[in-house]
């Protein structure tokens, strides 16, 4: 059974940084693209990054470019999201999600999310 | 960036009724790479439809998707109590991937 568990969220001051982790199990991790999607309280979904199965290809929306960095460790079945220069508007639940197929762009498996709160 | 606009914002229906949700794209969605998700409070989204009309694994056949290029719809043929939730469309034909703002399907 596919299992994704996020960790690393918490309360951080504006301008601060966090590293979010997602531990994957139940599938051949190194064969799938992985993604982060966030959801601000009471708001909709926002895609924030994707990384290819090998880690050689990454993508971000403009809102994350330069501040967010996605990476992965295929030996440990981990995907990370480093978030820097945090702003109040980055407050959200951050979900880790797996592509349905090796590279499909739609997400069949999601974690429960980790809450990041940016506040002084 | 492709902007997705969902309509209506809120849809009030009764169990057993048919629901039709719309998603309009500001530009043509490449290869009709349009997905639909369902989200209930406090839970992660659940993939329902991909490639505009293909049902994801385990999704009941009362859910169907249609459309192409810029106009897409999600239809739920006969609403069950567990279908009352928020629905999002997502395009993955080009980066950045984008989501619509959501349609809330509530019990009338």
């Amino acid at each position: 059974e596919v299992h994704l568990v996020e960790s690393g969220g918490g309360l951080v001051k504006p301008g601060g940084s966090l590293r979010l982790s997602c531990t994957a199990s139940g599938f051949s991790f190194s064969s799938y693209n992985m993604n982060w999607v966030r959801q601000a309280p009471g708001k909709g979904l926002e895609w924030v990054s994707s990384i290819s199965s090998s880690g050689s290809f990454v993508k971000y929306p403009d809102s994350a470019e330069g501040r967010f960095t996605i990476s992965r460790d295929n030996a440990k079945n981990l995907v990370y999201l480093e978030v820097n220069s945090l702003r109040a508007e980055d407050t959200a639940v951050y979900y880790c999600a797996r592509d349905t197929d090796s590279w499909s762009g739609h997400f069949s498996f999601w974690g429960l999310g980790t809450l990041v709160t940016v506040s002084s | 960036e492709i902007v997705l606009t969902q309509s209506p914002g809120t849809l009030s229906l009764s169990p057993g009724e048919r629901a039709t949700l719309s998603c309009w794209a500001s530009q043509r969605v490449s290869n009709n790479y349009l997905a639909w998700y369902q989200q209930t409070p406090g839970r992660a989204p659940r993939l329902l439809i991909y490639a505009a009309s293909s049902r994801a694994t385990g999704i009941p056949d009362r859910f169907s998707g249609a459309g192409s290029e810029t106009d897409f719809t999600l239809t739920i043929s006969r609403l069950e109590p567990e279908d009352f939730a928020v629905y999002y469309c997502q395009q993955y034909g080009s980066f950045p991937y984008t989501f619509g703002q959501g349609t809330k399907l509530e019990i009338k």
Side-chain angles (χ1 to χ4, degrees):
Chain A
E1 182 184 359
V2 174
H3 212 50
L4 301 171
V5 179
E6 302 91 341
S7 60
L11 176 63
V12 61
K13 289 182 168 51
S17 300
L18 279 177
R19 188 174 82 158
L20 308 181
S21 301
C22 171
T23 304
S25 60
F27 63 100
S28 179
F29 180 72
S30 62
S31 298
Y32 290 86
N33 285 10
M34 297 296 294
N35 310 272
W36 289 93
V37 176
R38 70 182 181 181
Q39 186 168 36
K43 302 297 185 183
L45 302 170
E46 180 185 14
W47 169 76
V48 293
S49 61
S50 295
I51 187 166
S52 63
S53 55
S54 67
S56 61
F57 180 82
V58 297
K59 290 292 286 187
Y60 309 93
D62 287 349
S63 61
E65 194 75 56
R67 294 194 305 123
F68 291 7
T69 303
I70 189 171
S71 61
R72 65 190 295 161
D73 184 337
N74 284 347
K76 296 181 178 179
N77 286 12
L78 284 164
V79 60
Y80 304 101
L81 183 69
E82 186 164 345
V83 292
N84 299 308
S85 302
L86 282 161
R87 311 161 180 161
E89 53 266 36
D90 295 317
T91 294
V93 173
Y94 286 71
Y95 293 104
C96 171
R98 197 203 85 176
D99 272 34
T100 302
D101 301 308
S102 57
W103 186 301
S104 56
H106 47 86
F107 315 137
S108 282
F109 300 98
W110 299 66
L112 295 179
T114 187
L115 176 63
V116 172
T117 303
V118 183
S119 175
S120 54
Chain B
E1 171 176 326
I2 296 177
V3 177
L4 300 179
T5 302
Q6 292 187 239
S7 179
T10 302
L11 184 58
S12 300
L13 294 170
S14 300
E17 291 192 290
R18 180 185 185 91
T20 302
L21 288 66
S22 296
C23 176
W24 285 281
S26 61
Q27 306 168 42
R28 188 179 67 85
V29 176
S30 179
N31 297 310
N32 295 326
Y33 281 169
L34 193 287
W36 290 93
Y37 297 85
Q38 176 195 65
Q39 188 179 33
T40 51
R43 301 193 68 175
R46 174 194 182 197
L47 178 68
L48 301 174
I49 301 288
Y50 63 94
S53 60
S54 296
R55 262 189 306 276
T57 301
I59 301 303
D61 60 8
R62 65 179 182 274
F63 291 92
S64 62
S68 63
E69 299 201 345
T70 60
D71 289 4
F72 300 90
T73 58
L74 173 70
T75 300
I76 311 170
S77 58
R78 285 181 57 85
L79 286 166
E80 299 285 344
E82 62 267 27
D83 299 336
F84 292 91
V86 180
Y87 292 83
Y88 295 96
C89 56
Q90 177 222 353
Q91 70 80 23
Y92 54 96
S94 60
F95 286 106
Y97 296 158
T98 50
F99 289 88
Q101 83 280 16
T103 289
K104 181 179 181 181
L105 179 55
E106 65 177 24
I107 299 176
K108 188 174 181 179

